[in-house]
Amino acid sequence: MAQLSAPQRTPVTRVRINVLLLAVACITILLAQQLVKIQVYQELKGRQLGELAQNELTRHDVLQPRRGTIYDRNGVALAMNVNMPSLYVDSTKIKQPEKLALLLAPLINKDPAEVLAILSDKEREWTRLARWISTDAAQQIETFTAGGDFGDGVWLIPEAQRAYPQGEFASRIVGVANHEGVGISGVEAYYDEEIKGITGKLQAERSGSADQQPIWIAPKEIIEPQDGIAVKLTIDSTVQKLVEDELRRVVEEQQAEGATILVMEPSTGEVLGMASWPTFDPNKYTEYEPEVINRNNALTDAYEPGSTFKVIVAAMGLQTGAFTPETTVPDTGVIRRYGYGIGNWNRAGNGNLTPGMMLYHSSNVAALLFGEMVGRDDFYKFVKLFGYGQETGIDLGGEGVGIVNWPEDNPDGWSDLTLDTNSFGQSIAVTPIQHLTALSAIANGGLLMWPHVVKEKCEGTRCTPVQPRVVRRVVDQGVTDALRSMMTKNAEHYANLIWGPSTGNWKDQPLVPGYRVSAKTGTSQIAVNGVYDSNSVIGSVVGFAPSDNPRVSILVKIDRPKRAQWGIEAAIPVYHRVVTKLMSHFRIPPDPSYVSEGQVIGGPR
Amino acid sequence: MAIDQRLLPLHSARIRRAEFPAGYFKLGDAGLIAGAIAVVCILSILYLAQTGRVATAGYRLQELEQQHTELLREAEQYEYRIAQASRLDAIAARAQALGLRPATSEQQRYTTIEVPAVAVVATSN
């Protein structure tokens, strides 16, 4: 049996081994050097390189919260979020730009030449042609680009838009959130922090697909966004519609420069309706001047309340005991004080007047005398207690404080004459919301309520009601009872303006047949450069209804009416219509016995 | 009573194992390497399978989230249309189109409804 011999081994010289070892050592040293250079000394250190590599894989997204919806008190959405399509184009991938421009231009309300310039500019890879186009327009664009005739450079991408489905309706209260989602006026601004919510964060590895959507093998971090709260307003849409319609009507009829109508629930301070002229559409807020958007005339405009302030003077006198409902003062038509002659509107006297008859005749002389009886200290104490010269704290931004010449703050500017003129509503300026809040205290039995426009705040399905807040008691119930009676008689005094032409009865009669309502009018002069403008006035009415258990308090203010010589002629018809419709809206049963000859409940139309 | 240890099962098994040649149960180096490779392969396959399933579930989740977003957008559009349709102007216009008109003051009737007195029954414990 043959034996296999072992293979003969070739001897390796020591030199060769050493050469090989040397070569390996050199290579190892070179590699180590490169490693150290990259990991330790190179400008981009190893950790940074790692982060860069990770960033290539990882997608960082900000998760936007949903801005809270704003509803009226009945749950109708006034401001909400809608994702509307925006049109983007990649000009490098567009075919037949001329034809495409002609098709797109009318759908996005742009000039075809302007669109063509963008589509033909091959330097632009990503351009937004139009933001938030209508869904109808988007569908048409999808239809004619679906075939690929125009390339694949047209994109419709949904983008969140703050939408106001009611348009101009209640825009002064709701306000505006700008295109960046920041509230800039109204409730949108005042409650911005709560409505806007808190942004979230997503950090995850992304897919290699074109949309680079996150993949979920190892999501590293997700902080969910917190949606903003929804708010339900105190605004009653029917009341708001009613006051907006009346506002528009009176501005047109009287060719007035402006107007404000406010409706409040006196027992709670809830604002049921608030309308000011001019109005604006928050969906197109960029088309308006900033002062139109940012200014809510019901909160900012300071005006002399005129004779409507006499109600406040009567209240303070009755409360302090300076006079009683039976106290009389002589109304001589004109009275001299500190070198000035101060008179009634017609400079005619009315004899001895009680506080009630002072209101009835709207006597400046009697108001001055009653104001003097109250005295400086009590007068301004109650001006402050009623909330004048200070913010009401309403939950809307930009509120003014009016102008009160306080004797202690301005001893040089204040004089006894200031007290006299303040007594009939001159030399003092109030904001509509201040004045209505003060009047509501008389309507509700003497409590100054905090006026507010938000009724509920909701996080998901959990809603927290905003509780009405009593600021302070201003006058006693007995005082307000007396005043309500006086103001009801006052309202009957204005009724002939409404009913005289149709019934021929020019005597006092129910202003709103079937309902005892309270009212006090005022015609205020407008100071221009320190001098009263003899050609223009502000006509206003404040009141509440029904008188015995007020459901609503109302302020109507018309700026510079052109048709009516006196403010009352412009404001009382508006007040009458508003009260008539509100009584019907709130289903308050009329008293059939409180109707004068020829009057119709709910009329005249 | 004394117990015969040889009758116990563990003891008898040890005896039986001792009857095999020495090193019978030991793996050689090649065996160990092959075994390790096999284990690594199995673990890798399991890991890949698991990762694949997670990725598939992730994509499915992503699709569902996309659907959820689209449905939310659709719902928003409906809410928007409902809000627009709730405009009092639109309601009034629709009512007029249906031939309705506001009631005049002469057409309004007020009726007083007598609420029947509710008998209160006193209870006591």
Side-chain angles (χ1 to χ4, degrees):
Chain A
M1 188 171 144
Q3 295 234 333
L4 286 174
S5 59
Q8 195 168 7
R9 303 181 74 172
T10 307
V12 180
T13 63
R14 189 72 193 168
V15 174
R16 285 186 181 178
I17 292 170
N18 287 343
V19 168
L20 189 62
L21 283 174
L22 186 64
V24 170
C26 286
I27 291 167
T28 307
I29 289 167
L30 278 173
L31 285 173
Q33 186 214 356
Q34 286 297 318
L35 195 65
V36 170
K37 187 179 170 187
I38 290 169
Q39 295 286 350
V40 181
Y41 292 111
Q42 200 163 329
E43 189 179 346
L44 294 171
K45 304 282 191 305
R47 184 173 296 173
Q48 287 171 301
L49 286 170
E51 283 174 6
L52 283 172
Q54 193 60 37
N55 284 343
E56 281 292 306
L57 291 172
T58 308
R59 174 176 169 146
H60 301 269
D61 280 343
V62 174
L63 303 177
Q64 293 293 345
R66 286 168 58 82
R67 194 173 172 85
T69 304
I70 300 175
Y71 299 96
D72 81 342
R73 70 187 295 138
N74 300 317
V76 176
L78 303 174
M80 60 192 301
N81 298 316
V82 184
N83 275 281
M84 300 296 281
S86 290
L87 178 63
Y88 287 82
V89 291
D90 180 350
S91 302
T92 60
K93 296 176 181 172
I94 294 287
K95 296 175 189 169
Q96 305 184 67
E98 295 83 4
K99 190 176 174 186
L100 184 60
L102 286 172
L103 287 167
L104 288 178
L107 295 173
I108 58 174
N109 297 321
K110 284 197 173 175
D111 182 28
E114 185 189 346
V115 177
L116 179 60
I118 295 169
L119 296 181
S120 306
D121 185 354
K122 297 299 176 191
E123 298 296 316
R124 296 188 182 212
E125 290 189 356
W126 191 249
T127 309
R128 184 169 65 203
L129 256 187
R131 197 175 192 187
W132 298 321
I133 61 175
S134 70
T135 46
D136 290 343
Q139 278 176 357
Q140 290 186 53
I141 292 169
E142 272 181 353
T143 306
F144 64 69
T145 56
D149 296 344
F150 301 104
D152 56 354
V154 179
W155 298 79
L156 286 163
I157 296 175
E159 288 186 342
Q161 180 193 19
R162 191 64 167 169
Y164 301 89
Q166 314 284 330
E168 290 185 12
F169 184 77
S171 57
R172 291 267 174 214
I173 306 155
V174 175
V176 182
N178 64 17
H179 292 333
E180 283 68 48
V182 179
I184 56 173
S185 70
V187 169
E188 291 271 34
Y190 194 88
Y191 287 96
D192 189 50
E193 281 299 315
E194 294 168 85
I195 291 176
K196 73 180 181 188
I198 300 169
T199 53
K201 195 167 71 172
L202 166 68
Q203 187 177 314
E205 290 181 8
R206 63 188 175 189
S207 71
S209 59
D211 57 2
Q212 296 197 334
Q213 287 296 315
I215 55 176
W216 299 94
I217 295 174
K220 289 189 175 172
E221 190 182 1
I222 299 176
I223 300 171
E224 293 289 346
Q226 289 180 30
D227 290 343
I229 63 163
V231 294
K232 189 178 272 192
L233 303 184
T234 57
I235 297 300
D236 180 324
S237 282
T238 308
V239 176
Q240 182 67 22
K241 173 81 167 56
L242 165 63
V243 296
E244 286 189 3
D245 286 351
E246 287 298 335
L247 186 85
R248 192 167 288 108
R249 178 175 169 179
V250 74
V251 167
E252 286 172 7
E253 281 181 358
Q254 295 293 335
Q255 296 175 351
E257 288 187 8
T260 297
I261 305 178
L262 272 174
V263 180
M264 186 185 282
E265 191 172 68
S267 58
T268 60
E270 290 181 359
V271 176
L272 301 175
M274 177 188 278
S276 295
W277 192 268
T279 61
F280 69 95
D281 182 353
N283 292 304
K284 303 171 185 167
Y285 78 93
T286 52
E287 296 175 10
Y288 298 86
E289 295 296 323
E291 55 266 29
V292 175
I293 300 159
N294 297 326
R295 187 170 180 155
N296 184 339
N297 307 59
L299 312 182
T300 55
D301 283 8
Y303 72 105
E304 289 193 350
S307 295
T308 58
F309 198 72
K310 291 169 184 167
V311 179
I312 304 297
V313 175
M316 56 177 76
L318 295 173
Q319 178 64 27
T320 56
F323 50 80
T324 68
E326 289 75 37
T327 306
T328 59
V329 292
D331 176 9
T332 50
V334 179
I335 194 168
R336 287 202 71 77
R337 284 291 187 273
Y338 315 107
Y340 296 93
I342 298 169
N344 294 335
W345 64 276
N346 57 0
R347 304 187 86 77
N350 296 293
N352 288 336
L353 297 181
T354 60
M357 293 312 286
M358 175 266 286
L359 295 176
Y360 183 87
H361 290 290
S362 202
S363 165
N364 290 346
V365 172
L368 178 152
L369 293 170
F370 281 124
E372 288 179 344
M373 289 170 77
V374 174
R376 187 188 83 164
D377 292 345
D378 277 342
F379 188 94
Y380 290 101
K381 178 184 147 191
F382 273 88
V383 166
K384 189 168 280 182
L385 283 175
F386 271 109
Y388 296 108
Q390 57 205 286
E391 292 180 357
T392 62
I394 189 171
D395 45 352
L396 287 170
E399 186 183 4
V401 296
I403 304 166
V404 178
N405 200 353
W406 303 104
E408 65 271 23
D409 292 347
N410 188 14
D412 296 333
W414 187 90
S415 71
D416 290 329
L417 185 63
T418 310
L419 170 64
D420 287 340
T421 52
N422 283 177
S423 298
F424 51 89
Q426 281 194 356
S427 309
I428 185 171
V430 304
T431 62
I433 190 70
Q434 265 179 354
H435 204 30
L436 188 62
T437 305
L439 184 90
S440 295
I442 291 168
N444 69 21
L447 299 172
L448 191 76
M449 301 301 294
W450 165 58
H452 57 284
V453 297
V454 168
K455 191 172 179 64
E456 271 184 5
K457 298 178 185 178
C458 298
E459 288 179 67
T461 54
R462 190 167 53 86
C463 292
T464 312
V466 174
Q467 297 297 339
R469 210 165 63 220
V470 178
V471 178
R472 67 182 83 91
R473 175 168 281 284
V474 185
V475 290
D476 296 333
Q477 175 88 45
V479 171
T480 59
D481 288 348
L483 283 168
R484 287 207 294 258
S485 168
M486 295 174 195
M487 289 180 72
T488 305
K489 192 166 178 55
N490 240 32
E492 292 173 352
H493 186 46
Y494 307 132
N496 57 29
L497 261 176
I498 307 297
W499 293 95
S502 61
T503 64
N505 177 11
W506 297 90
K507 294 179 181 171
D508 290 358
Q509 55 200 297
L511 177 63
V512 181
Y515 303 95
R516 285 173 180 78
V517 306
S518 300
K520 181 72 193 87
T521 60
T523 302
S524 324
Q525 291 175 288
I526 301 169
V528 179
N529 298 325
V531 180
Y532 283 118
D533 180 0
S534 57
N535 296 321
S536 53
V537 294
I538 293 173
S540 62
V541 185
V542 290
F544 43 85
S547 291
D548 48 354
N549 184 20
R551 178 76 175 78
V552 286
S553 52
I554 301 154
L555 179 144
V556 177
K557 168 177 164 280
I558 300 160
D559 304 338
R560 293 186 164 93
K562 301 289 187 303
R563 294 274 172 81
Q565 184 185 1
W566 300 96
I568 177 177
E569 296 165 25
I572 272 291
V574 179
Y575 182 77
H576 164 263
R577 288 194 296 268
V578 169
V579 173
T580 303
K581 290 173 184 171
L582 287 180
M583 294 300 98
S584 175
H585 170 62
F586 288 117
R587 301 181 183 183
I588 297 170
D591 175 1
S593 66
Y594 188 63
V595 178
S596 184
E597 183 72 29
Q599 288 189 322
V600 180
I601 292 175
R605 284 194 172 270
Chain B
M1 190 178 82
I3 296 171
D4 186 354
Q5 293 283 326
R6 289 172 300 180
L7 297 177
L8 291 175
L10 283 175
H11 186 76
S12 57
R14 194 180 305 136
I15 293 167
R16 281 201 301 278
R17 276 203 308 277
E19 289 168 359
F20 284 96
Y24 186 84
F25 288 106
K26 287 187 179 173
L27 284 172
D29 290 345
L32 277 174
I33 290 168
I37 290 171
V39 168
V40 168
C41 286
I42 291 165
L43 287 176
S44 299
I45 289 166
L46 285 174
Y47 176 75
L48 280 174
Q50 184 69 9
T51 307
R53 280 167 57 187
V54 170
T56 308
Y59 277 110
R60 177 74 184 133
L61 188 61
Q62 183 190 316
E63 277 176 18
L64 289 172
E65 288 202 340
Q66 188 70 25
Q67 272 182 29
H68 179 243
T69 306
E70 279 169 15
L71 287 170
L72 274 180
R73 284 180 187 151
E74 205 175 325
E76 275 175 358
Q77 290 289 342
Y78 284 123
E79 281 176 23
Y80 183 66
R81 284 166 62 181
I82 289 168
Q84 280 189 316
S86 305
R87 289 177 68 144
L88 291 174
D89 283 340
I91 292 170
R94 177 77 183 134
Q96 283 179 354
L98 290 170
L100 302 173
R101 55 187 169 77
T104 63
S105 49
E106 291 79 11
Q107 291 172 317
Q108 293 176 8
R109 297 286 181 276
Y110 294 89
T111 305
T112 305
I113 301 170
E114 296 295 335
V115 180
V118 178
V120 178
V121 180
T123 57
S124 58
N125 293 327

